[in-house]
Coordinates of all heavy atoms in Angstrom, one line a residue:
M125 N 181.6 77.3 -74.7 CA 181.1 78.1 -73.5 C 180.7 79.5 -73.9 O 181.4 80.1 -74.7 CB 182.2 78.1 -72.4 CG 181.6 78.3 -71.0 SD 182.9 78.4 -69.8 CE 184.0 77.0 -70.1
Q126 N 179.7 80.0 -73.3 CA 179.2 81.4 -73.7 C 180.3 82.4 -73.2 O 180.9 82.3 -72.1 CB 177.9 81.7 -72.9 CG 176.7 81.0 -73.6 CD 175.4 81.5 -73.0 OE1 175.4 82.0 -71.9 NE2 174.4 81.5 -73.8
S127 N 180.5 83.4 -74.0 CA 181.5 84.4 -73.7 C 181.1 85.1 -72.4 O 182.0 85.6 -71.7 CB 181.7 85.4 -74.9 OG 180.5 86.1 -75.1
S128 N 179.9 85.3 -72.1 CA 179.5 86.0 -70.9 C 179.9 85.2 -69.6 O 180.4 85.8 -68.7 CB 178.0 86.3 -70.8 OG 177.3 85.1 -70.9
L129 N 179.9 83.9 -69.7 CA 180.3 83.1 -68.6 C 181.8 83.1 -68.5 O 182.4 83.2 -67.4 CB 179.8 81.6 -68.8 CG 180.2 80.6 -67.6 CD1 179.7 81.2 -66.3 CD2 179.6 79.3 -67.9
I130 N 182.5 83.1 -69.6 CA 184.0 83.2 -69.6 C 184.4 84.5 -68.9 O 185.3 84.5 -68.1 CB 184.5 83.1 -71.0 CG1 184.4 81.7 -71.6 CG2 186.0 83.5 -71.1 CD1 184.6 81.6 -73.1
G131 N 183.7 85.6 -69.2 CA 184.0 86.8 -68.5 C 183.8 86.7 -67.0 O 184.6 87.2 -66.2
K132 N 182.8 86.0 -66.5 CA 182.5 85.8 -65.1 C 183.6 85.0 -64.5 O 184.0 85.2 -63.3 CB 181.2 85.2 -64.9 CG 180.0 86.0 -65.3 CD 179.9 87.3 -64.5 CE 178.7 88.1 -64.9 NZ 178.7 89.5 -64.4
I133 N 184.1 84.0 -65.2 CA 185.1 83.1 -64.6 C 186.4 83.9 -64.5 O 187.1 83.8 -63.4 CB 185.3 81.9 -65.5 CG1 184.1 81.0 -65.4 CG2 186.6 81.1 -65.1 CD1 184.1 79.9 -66.5
E134 N 186.7 84.7 -65.4 CA 187.9 85.6 -65.3 C 187.8 86.5 -64.2 O 188.8 86.7 -63.4 CB 188.1 86.4 -66.6 CG 188.6 85.6 -67.8 CD 189.9 84.8 -67.5 OE1 190.8 85.4 -66.9 OE2 189.9 83.6 -67.8
K135 N 186.6 87.1 -64.0 CA 186.4 88.0 -62.9 C 186.5 87.3 -61.5 O 187.1 87.8 -60.6 CB 185.0 88.7 -63.0 CG 184.8 89.9 -62.1 CD 183.4 90.5 -62.3 CE 183.5 91.9 -62.8 NZ 182.2 92.5 -62.9
A136 N 186.0 86.1 -61.5 CA 186.1 85.3 -60.2 C 187.5 85.0 -59.9 O 187.9 85.1 -58.7 CB 185.3 84.0 -60.4
K137 N 188.4 84.7 -60.9 CA 189.8 84.5 -60.6 C 190.4 85.7 -60.0 O 191.3 85.6 -59.1 CB 190.5 84.1 -61.9 CG 190.3 82.7 -62.3 CD 191.0 82.4 -63.6 CE 190.6 81.0 -64.2 NZ 191.1 80.9 -65.6
R138 N 190.1 86.9 -60.5 CA 190.7 88.1 -60.0 C 190.2 88.4 -58.6 O 190.9 88.7 -57.7 CB 190.3 89.3 -60.9 CG 190.9 90.6 -60.5 CD 190.9 91.6 -61.7 NE 189.6 91.8 -62.3 CZ 188.6 92.6 -61.7 NH1 188.9 93.3 -60.6 NH2 187.5 92.8 -62.4
Y139 N 188.9 88.2 -58.4 CA 188.3 88.5 -57.1 C 188.9 87.6 -56.0 O 189.1 88.0 -54.9 CB 186.8 88.2 -57.1 CG 185.9 89.3 -57.7 CD1 184.6 89.2 -57.9 CD2 186.5 90.6 -57.9 CE1 183.8 90.2 -58.4 CE2 185.7 91.6 -58.4 CZ 184.3 91.4 -58.7 OH 183.5 92.4 -59.1
A140 N 189.2 86.3 -56.4 CA 189.7 85.4 -55.5 C 191.1 85.8 -54.9 O 191.5 85.4 -53.8 CB 189.8 84.0 -56.1
Q141 N 191.8 86.6 -55.7 CA 193.1 87.2 -55.3 C 192.9 88.4 -54.4 O 193.8 88.8 -53.7 CB 193.9 87.6 -56.5 CG 194.2 86.5 -57.5 CD 194.9 85.3 -56.8 OE1 195.9 85.5 -56.1 NE2 194.5 84.1 -57.1
E142 N 191.7 89.0 -54.5 CA 191.5 90.3 -53.8 C 190.6 90.0 -52.6 O 189.4 90.4 -52.6 CB 190.8 91.3 -54.8 CG 191.7 91.6 -56.0 CD 191.1 92.3 -57.1 OE1 189.9 92.6 -57.0 OE2 191.8 92.7 -58.1
T143 N 191.1 89.4 -51.6 CA 190.3 88.9 -50.5 C 189.7 90.0 -49.6 O 188.7 89.7 -48.9 CB 191.2 88.0 -49.5 OG1 192.3 88.7 -49.1 CG2 191.6 86.7 -50.3
E144 N 190.2 91.2 -49.7 CA 189.7 92.3 -49.0 C 188.2 92.6 -49.5 O 187.5 93.4 -48.8 CB 190.6 93.5 -49.0 CG 190.6 94.3 -50.3 CD 191.6 93.6 -51.3 OE1 192.2 92.6 -51.0 OE2 191.7 94.1 -52.5
R145 N 187.8 92.1 -50.6 CA 186.5 92.3 -51.1 C 185.5 91.6 -50.3 O 184.3 91.9 -50.3 CB 186.4 91.8 -52.6 CG 187.1 92.7 -53.5 CD 186.9 92.2 -55.0 NE 187.6 92.9 -55.9 CZ 187.2 94.1 -56.5 NH1 186.0 94.5 -56.1 NH2 187.9 94.7 -57.3
V146 N 185.9 90.6 -49.6 CA 185.0 89.7 -48.8 C 185.1 90.0 -47.3 O 186.2 90.0 -46.8 CB 185.4 88.2 -49.1 CG1 184.5 87.3 -48.2 CG2 185.2 87.8 -50.5
T147 N 184.0 90.2 -46.7 CA 183.9 90.4 -45.2 C 182.9 89.4 -44.6 O 181.7 89.5 -45.0 CB 183.6 91.8 -44.9 OG1 184.5 92.7 -45.5 CG2 183.7 92.0 -43.4
F148 N 183.4 88.6 -43.8 CA 182.5 87.7 -43.1 C 181.6 88.5 -42.1 O 182.1 89.2 -41.3 CB 183.2 86.6 -42.3 CG 183.8 85.5 -43.1 CD1 185.0 85.6 -43.7 CD2 183.1 84.3 -43.3 CE1 185.6 84.6 -44.5 CE2 183.6 83.3 -44.0 CZ 184.9 83.4 -44.6
S149 N 180.3 88.3 -42.2 CA 179.4 88.9 -41.2 C 179.1 87.9 -40.1 O 178.9 88.2 -39.0 CB 178.1 89.3 -41.9 OG 177.6 88.3 -42.7
E150 N 179.1 86.6 -40.4 CA 179.1 85.6 -39.4 C 179.7 84.3 -40.0 O 179.8 84.1 -41.2 CB 177.7 85.3 -38.9 CG 176.7 84.9 -39.9 CD 175.3 84.6 -39.3 OE1 174.8 85.5 -38.6 OE2 174.8 83.5 -39.4
L151 N 180.2 83.4 -39.1 CA 180.8 82.2 -39.5 C 180.7 81.2 -38.3 O 180.6 81.6 -37.2 CB 182.2 82.4 -40.0 CG 183.2 82.8 -38.9 CD1 184.0 81.6 -38.4 CD2 184.2 83.8 -39.5
S152 N 180.8 79.9 -38.7 CA 180.8 78.9 -37.7 C 181.6 77.7 -38.2 O 181.5 77.3 -39.4 CB 179.3 78.4 -37.5 OG 179.3 77.3 -36.5
V153 N 182.6 77.3 -37.4 CA 183.5 76.2 -37.8 C 183.6 75.2 -36.7 O 183.4 75.5 -35.6 CB 184.9 76.8 -38.2 CG1 184.8 77.8 -39.3 CG2 185.6 77.3 -37.0
K154 N 184.0 74.0 -37.1 CA 184.4 73.0 -36.2 C 185.9 73.1 -36.2 O 186.6 73.0 -37.2 CB 184.1 71.5 -36.7 CG 182.6 71.3 -36.7 CD 182.1 71.0 -35.3 CE 180.6 70.8 -35.4 NZ 180.0 71.2 -34.0
F155 N 186.5 73.3 -35.0 CA 187.9 73.5 -34.9 C 188.5 72.4 -34.1 O 188.2 72.1 -33.0 CB 188.2 74.8 -34.1 CG 189.6 75.4 -34.3 CD1 189.7 76.7 -34.9 CD2 190.7 74.7 -34.0 CE1 191.0 77.2 -35.1 CE2 192.0 75.2 -34.2 CZ 192.1 76.5 -34.8
R156 N 189.4 71.6 -34.8 CA 190.1 70.5 -34.2 C 191.3 70.9 -33.4 O 192.3 71.3 -34.0 CB 190.5 69.4 -35.2 CG 189.4 68.5 -35.7 CD 189.9 67.4 -36.6 NE 190.8 67.9 -37.6 CZ 190.3 68.4 -38.8 NH1 189.0 68.5 -39.0 NH2 191.2 68.8 -39.7
G157 N 191.1 71.0 -32.1 CA 192.2 71.4 -31.2 C 193.1 70.1 -30.9 O 192.9 69.1 -31.6
E158 N 194.0 70.3 -30.0 CA 194.9 69.1 -29.7 C 194.2 68.1 -28.9 O 194.6 66.9 -29.0 CB 196.2 69.6 -29.0 CG 197.1 70.4 -29.9 CD 198.3 70.9 -29.2 OE1 198.3 71.0 -27.9 OE2 199.3 71.3 -29.9
H159 N 193.2 68.5 -28.1 CA 192.6 67.5 -27.2 C 191.1 67.2 -27.6 O 190.6 66.2 -27.3 CB 192.6 68.0 -25.8 CG 194.0 68.4 -25.3 ND1 194.9 67.4 -25.1 CD2 194.6 69.5 -25.1 CE1 196.1 68.0 -24.7 NE2 195.9 69.3 -24.7
D160 N 190.5 68.1 -28.3 CA 189.1 68.0 -28.6 C 188.7 68.9 -29.8 O 189.6 69.6 -30.3 CB 188.3 68.5 -27.3 CG 187.0 67.7 -27.2 OD1 186.5 67.1 -28.1 OD2 186.5 67.8 -26.1
T161 N 187.5 68.7 -30.3 CA 187.0 69.5 -31.4 C 186.0 70.5 -30.8 O 185.1 70.1 -30.0 CB 186.4 68.7 -32.4 OG1 187.4 67.8 -33.0 CG2 185.8 69.5 -33.6
Y162 N 186.2 71.8 -31.1 CA 185.3 72.8 -30.6 C 184.5 73.5 -31.7 O 184.9 73.5 -32.9 CB 186.2 73.9 -29.9 CG 187.1 73.3 -28.8 CD1 188.4 73.0 -29.1 CD2 186.6 73.0 -27.6 CE1 189.3 72.5 -28.2 CE2 187.4 72.4 -26.6 CZ 188.7 72.1 -26.9 OH 189.5 71.5 -26.0
T163 N 183.4 74.1 -31.3 CA 182.7 74.9 -32.2 C 183.1 76.4 -32.0 O 182.9 76.9 -30.8 CB 181.1 74.8 -31.9 OG1 180.8 73.4 -32.1 CG2 180.3 75.6 -32.9
T164 N 183.6 77.0 -33.0 CA 184.0 78.4 -32.9 C 183.2 79.2 -33.9 O 183.1 78.8 -35.0 CB 185.5 78.5 -33.2 OG1 186.3 77.5 -32.4 CG2 186.1 79.9 -32.9
E165 N 182.6 80.3 -33.3 CA 181.7 81.1 -34.2 C 182.0 82.6 -34.0 O 182.5 83.0 -33.0 CB 180.3 80.8 -33.7 CG 179.8 79.4 -33.9 CD 178.4 79.2 -33.3 OE1 178.2 79.4 -32.1 OE2 177.6 78.8 -34.1
Y166 N 181.7 83.3 -35.1 CA 181.6 84.7 -35.0 C 180.2 85.1 -35.4 O 179.8 84.8 -36.5 CB 182.6 85.4 -36.0 CG 182.6 86.9 -35.9 CD1 183.1 87.5 -34.8 CD2 182.0 87.6 -36.9 CE1 183.1 88.9 -34.7 CE2 182.0 89.0 -36.8 CZ 182.5 89.6 -35.7 OH 182.4 91.0 -35.6
K167 N 179.5 85.8 -34.5 CA 178.1 86.1 -34.8 C 177.7 87.3 -34.0 O 178.1 87.5 -32.9 CB 177.2 84.9 -34.3 CG 175.9 84.8 -35.0 CD 175.2 83.5 -34.6 CE 173.8 83.4 -35.3 NZ 173.0 82.4 -34.8
D168 N 176.8 88.2 -34.6 CA 176.4 89.4 -34.0 C 177.5 90.2 -33.4 O 177.4 90.8 -32.3 CB 175.4 89.1 -32.9 CG 174.1 88.3 -33.4 OD1 173.7 88.6 -34.6 OD2 173.6 87.5 -32.7
G169 N 178.6 90.3 -34.1 CA 179.8 91.1 -33.7 C 180.6 90.5 -32.6 O 181.4 91.2 -32.0
K170 N 180.4 89.2 -32.2 CA 181.1 88.6 -31.1 C 181.6 87.2 -31.5 O 181.0 86.5 -32.2 CB 180.2 88.5 -29.9 CG 179.9 89.8 -29.2 CD 179.2 89.5 -27.9 CE 178.9 90.8 -27.1 NZ 177.7 91.5 -27.7
W171 N 182.8 86.9 -30.9 CA 183.3 85.5 -31.0 C 182.6 84.7 -29.9 O 182.3 85.1 -28.8 CB 184.8 85.5 -30.8 CG 185.6 86.1 -31.9 CD1 186.2 87.3 -31.9 CD2 185.9 85.4 -33.1 NE1 186.8 87.5 -33.1 CE2 186.7 86.3 -33.9 CE3 185.6 84.2 -33.7 CZ2 187.1 86.0 -35.2 CZ3 186.0 83.9 -34.9 CH2 186.8 84.8 -35.7
H172 N 182.5 83.4 -30.3 CA 182.1 82.4 -29.3 C 182.9 81.2 -29.6 O 183.2 80.9 -30.7 CB 180.6 82.0 -29.5 CG 179.7 83.2 -29.5 ND1 179.1 83.7 -28.3 CD2 179.2 84.0 -30.5 CE1 178.4 84.7 -28.6 NE2 178.4 84.9 -29.9
C173 N 183.2 80.5 -28.5 CA 183.9 79.2 -28.6 C 183.5 78.3 -27.5 O 183.3 78.7 -26.4 CB 185.5 79.4 -28.7 SG 186.3 77.9 -29.1
S174 N 183.4 77.0 -27.8 CA 182.9 76.0 -26.8 C 184.0 75.6 -25.9 O 183.8 74.8 -25.0 CB 182.3 74.9 -27.5 OG 183.2 74.2 -28.4
C175 N 185.3 76.0 -26.1 CA 186.4 75.6 -25.2 C 186.3 76.2 -23.9 O 185.7 77.3 -23.7 CB 187.7 75.8 -25.9 SG 188.3 77.5 -25.9
H176 N 187.0 75.6 -22.9 CA 186.9 76.1 -21.5 C 187.6 77.4 -21.4 O 187.1 78.3 -20.7 CB 187.6 75.0 -20.6 CG 187.5 75.4 -19.2 ND1 186.3 75.5 -18.4 CD2 188.5 75.9 -18.3 CE1 186.6 75.9 -17.2 NE2 187.9 76.1 -17.1
F177 N 188.7 77.6 -22.0 CA 189.5 78.8 -21.9 C 188.7 80.1 -22.3 O 188.7 81.1 -21.6 CB 190.8 78.8 -22.7 CG 191.7 79.9 -22.5 CD1 192.7 79.8 -21.6 CD2 191.7 81.1 -23.3 CE1 193.6 80.8 -21.3 CE2 192.6 82.1 -23.1 CZ 193.5 82.0 -22.1
F178 N 187.9 79.9 -23.4 CA 187.1 81.0 -23.9 C 186.1 81.6 -22.8 O 185.9 82.8 -22.8 CB 186.4 80.7 -25.2 CG 185.7 81.8 -25.8 CD1 186.3 82.7 -26.7 CD2 184.3 82.1 -25.5 CE1 185.7 83.8 -27.2 CE2 183.7 83.2 -26.0 CZ 184.3 84.0 -26.9
S179 N 185.5 80.7 -22.1 CA 184.5 81.1 -21.2 C 185.0 82.1 -20.1 O 184.2 82.9 -19.7 CB 183.8 79.9 -20.5 OG 184.8 79.2 -19.8
S180 N 186.3 82.1 -19.8 CA 186.7 83.1 -18.8 C 187.5 84.2 -19.5 O 187.5 85.4 -19.0 CB 187.6 82.5 -17.7 OG 188.5 81.5 -18.3
W181 N 188.1 84.0 -20.7 CA 188.9 85.1 -21.3 C 188.2 85.8 -22.5 O 188.7 86.8 -22.9 CB 190.2 84.4 -21.8 CG 191.1 84.1 -20.7 CD1 191.1 83.0 -19.9 CD2 192.3 84.9 -20.3 NE1 192.1 83.0 -19.0 CE2 192.9 84.2 -19.2 CE3 192.8 86.1 -20.7 CZ2 194.0 84.6 -18.6 CZ3 194.0 86.5 -20.1 CH2 194.5 85.8 -19.0
R182 N 187.1 85.2 -23.0 CA 186.4 85.8 -24.2 C 187.2 85.8 -25.4 O 186.9 86.4 -26.4 CB 185.8 87.2 -23.9 CG 185.1 87.4 -22.6 CD 184.1 86.4 -22.2 NE 183.0 86.3 -23.1 CZ 182.1 85.3 -23.1 NH1 182.3 84.3 -22.3 NH2 181.1 85.3 -23.9
L183 N 188.3 85.1 -25.4 CA 189.1 84.8 -26.6 C 189.9 83.5 -26.3 O 190.0 83.1 -25.1 CB 190.0 86.0 -27.0 CG 191.1 86.4 -26.0 CD1 192.4 85.8 -26.3 CD2 191.3 87.9 -26.1
C184 N 190.5 82.9 -27.3 CA 191.2 81.6 -27.1 C 192.1 81.4 -28.3 O 192.0 82.1 -29.3 CB 190.2 80.5 -26.8 SG 189.1 80.2 -28.2
S185 N 192.8 80.3 -28.3 CA 193.7 80.0 -29.4 C 192.9 79.8 -30.7 O 193.4 80.0 -31.8 CB 194.5 78.8 -29.1 OG 193.7 77.7 -28.7
H186 N 191.7 79.3 -30.5 CA 190.8 79.0 -31.7 C 190.4 80.3 -32.4 O 190.5 80.5 -33.6 CB 189.7 78.1 -31.3 CG 190.1 77.0 -30.5 ND1 189.7 76.9 -29.2 CD2 191.0 76.0 -30.7 CE1 190.3 75.8 -28.6 NE2 191.1 75.3 -29.6
T187 N 189.9 81.3 -31.6 CA 189.4 82.5 -32.2 C 190.6 83.3 -32.7 O 190.5 83.9 -33.8 CB 188.7 83.4 -31.1 OG1 189.5 83.8 -30.1 CG2 187.5 82.7 -30.6
M188 N 191.7 83.3 -32.0 CA 192.9 84.0 -32.5 C 193.5 83.4 -33.7 O 194.0 84.1 -34.6 CB 194.0 84.0 -31.4 CG 193.6 85.0 -30.2 SD 194.9 85.3 -29.0 CE 194.8 83.8 -28.1
A189 N 193.4 82.0 -33.8 CA 193.9 81.4 -35.1 C 193.0 81.8 -36.2 O 193.5 82.1 -37.3 CB 193.9 79.9 -34.9
L190 N 191.7 81.9 -36.0 CA 190.8 82.2 -37.1 C 191.0 83.7 -37.5 O 190.9 84.0 -38.7 CB 189.3 82.0 -36.7 CG 188.9 80.6 -36.7 CD1 187.4 80.5 -36.1 CD2 188.9 80.0 -38.1
E191 N 191.3 84.6 -36.6 CA 191.7 85.9 -36.9 C 192.9 86.0 -37.8 O 192.9 86.7 -38.8 CB 192.0 86.7 -35.6 CG 190.8 87.1 -34.8 CD 191.1 87.9 -33.6 OE1 192.1 88.7 -33.6 OE2 190.5 87.7 -32.6
K192 N 193.8 85.1 -37.6 CA 195.0 85.0 -38.4 C 194.8 84.4 -39.8 O 195.2 84.9 -40.8 CB 196.1 84.2 -37.6 CG 197.5 84.7 -37.9 CD 198.5 84.2 -36.9 CE 199.9 84.5 -37.4 NZ 200.1 85.9 -37.7
I193 N 193.9 83.4 -39.8 CA 193.6 82.7 -41.0 C 192.8 83.6 -42.0 O 193.1 83.7 -43.1 CB 192.8 81.4 -40.8 CG1 193.6 80.3 -40.0 CG2 192.2 80.8 -42.1 CD1 192.8 79.2 -39.4
L194 N 191.8 84.3 -41.4 CA 190.9 85.0 -42.2 C 191.3 86.5 -42.4 O 190.9 87.1 -43.4 CB 189.5 85.0 -41.6 CG 188.9 83.6 -41.4 CD1 187.6 83.6 -40.6 CD2 188.6 83.0 -42.8
G195 N 192.2 87.0 -41.6 CA 192.8 88.3 -41.7 C 191.9 89.4 -42.2 O 190.9 89.7 -41.5
N196 N 192.1 89.9 -43.4 CA 191.3 91.1 -43.8 C 189.9 90.7 -44.3 O 189.2 91.6 -44.7 CB 192.1 91.8 -44.9 CG 192.3 91.0 -46.2 OD1 191.8 89.8 -46.3 ND2 193.0 91.5 -47.2
M197 N 189.5 89.5 -44.1 CA 188.2 89.1 -44.5 C 187.2 89.2 -43.2 O 186.0 88.9 -43.3 CB 188.1 87.7 -45.1 CG 188.7 87.7 -46.5 SD 188.4 86.1 -47.3 CE 189.6 85.1 -46.4
L198 N 187.8 89.6 -42.1 CA 187.0 89.8 -40.9 C 186.7 91.2 -40.7 O 187.6 92.1 -41.0 CB 187.8 89.2 -39.7 CG 187.8 87.7 -39.5 CD1 188.8 87.4 -38.4 CD2 186.4 87.1 -39.3
P199 N 185.6 91.6 -40.2 CA 185.3 93.0 -39.9 C 186.3 93.5 -38.8 O 186.7 92.7 -38.0 CB 183.9 93.0 -39.4 CG 183.5 91.6 -39.1 CD 184.4 90.7 -39.9
K200 N 186.6 94.8 -38.8 CA 187.5 95.3 -37.8 C 187.2 94.9 -36.4 O 188.1 94.6 -35.6 CB 187.6 96.8 -37.9 CG 188.6 97.4 -38.9 CD 188.9 98.8 -38.6 CE 189.2 99.6 -39.8 NZ 188.0 99.9 -40.7
E201 N 185.9 95.0 -36.0 CA 185.6 94.7 -34.6 C 185.8 93.2 -34.3 O 185.8 92.9 -33.1 CB 184.1 95.1 -34.4 CG 183.1 94.4 -35.2 CD 182.8 95.1 -36.5 OE1 183.6 95.9 -37.0 OE2 181.7 94.9 -37.1
A202 N 186.1 92.4 -35.2 CA 186.4 91.0 -34.9 C 187.8 90.7 -34.6 O 188.2 89.7 -34.1 CB 186.0 90.1 -36.1
L203 N 188.6 91.7 -34.9 CA 190.1 91.6 -34.6 C 190.4 92.1 -33.2 O 190.6 93.3 -33.0 CB 190.9 92.4 -35.7 CG 190.6 91.9 -37.1 CD1 191.2 92.9 -38.1 CD2 191.1 90.5 -37.4
S204 N 190.4 91.1 -32.3 CA 190.6 91.5 -30.9 C 192.1 91.6 -30.6 O 192.5 92.2 -29.6 CB 189.9 90.4 -30.0 OG 190.5 89.2 -30.3
T205 N 192.9 91.0 -31.4 CA 194.3 90.9 -31.0 C 195.2 91.3 -32.2 O 194.7 91.3 -33.4 CB 194.7 89.5 -30.6 OG1 194.4 88.6 -31.7 CG2 194.1 89.0 -29.4
Q206 N 196.4 91.6 -32.0 CA 197.3 91.9 -33.1 C 198.4 90.8 -33.0 O 199.5 91.0 -32.5 CB 198.0 93.3 -32.9 CG 197.0 94.4 -32.9 CD 196.3 94.6 -34.3 OE1 196.9 94.4 -35.3 NE2 195.0 94.9 -34.2
I207 N 198.1 89.6 -33.5 CA 199.0 88.5 -33.5 C 199.6 88.3 -34.9 O 199.1 88.7 -35.8 CB 198.4 87.2 -33.0 CG1 197.1 86.8 -33.7 CG2 198.1 87.3 -31.5 CD1 196.6 85.5 -33.4
Ligands
ZN108 ZN1 188.4 78.1 -28.1

């Protein structure tokens, strides 16, 4: 293997530990809830979720779970709660 590629692989391993280097600007996931599967998205600085709860509260267990999963990889404005 070329030494330049070996260097990149080493760097990638280090970067993978330093998750604060990565900030999602948008994302879309299929979220399997207990009763149904929902589309949960972060786009244009806002959360969206196809579940019923979200439509009245603008947040839900799915958006809050993603905040917890992604933690410091989300922009500050995406963190609506301190859970
Ligand atoms: Zn939801």
Side-chain angles (χ1 to χ4, degrees):
M125 207 183 309
Q126 284 191 333
S127 64
S128 58
L129 181 56
I130 290 169
K132 294 298 181 191
I133 291 168
E134 287 306 312
K135 195 179 239 186
K137 283 180 187 167
R138 181 162 55 81
Y139 279 172
Q141 303 300 314
E142 299 169 355
T143 56
E144 71 281 0
R145 291 181 181 276
V146 175
T147 305
F148 281 87
S149 46
E150 60 178 56
L151 65 100
S152 179
V153 301
K154 293 285 177 204
F155 200 120
R156 279 189 308 280
E158 289 180 343
H159 306 292
D160 211 342
T161 297
Y162 304 100
T163 300
T164 309
E165 297 176 301
Y166 181 74
K167 202 174 181 190
D168 299 326
K170 289 192 178 78
W171 287 104
H172 305 273
C173 187
S174 61
C175 74
H176 181 70
F177 189 90
F178 185 87
S179 59
S180 42
W181 287 79
R182 316 311 297 167
L183 61 94
C184 61
S185 56
H186 315 113
T187 64
M188 288 189 282
L190 284 174
E191 286 179 34
K192 213 165 169 52
I193 293 165
L194 299 172
N196 64 3
M197 290 188 286
L198 286 171
K200 267 196 216 75
E201 59 271 23
L203 301 169
S204 60
T205 56
Q206 301 294 322
I207 53 172

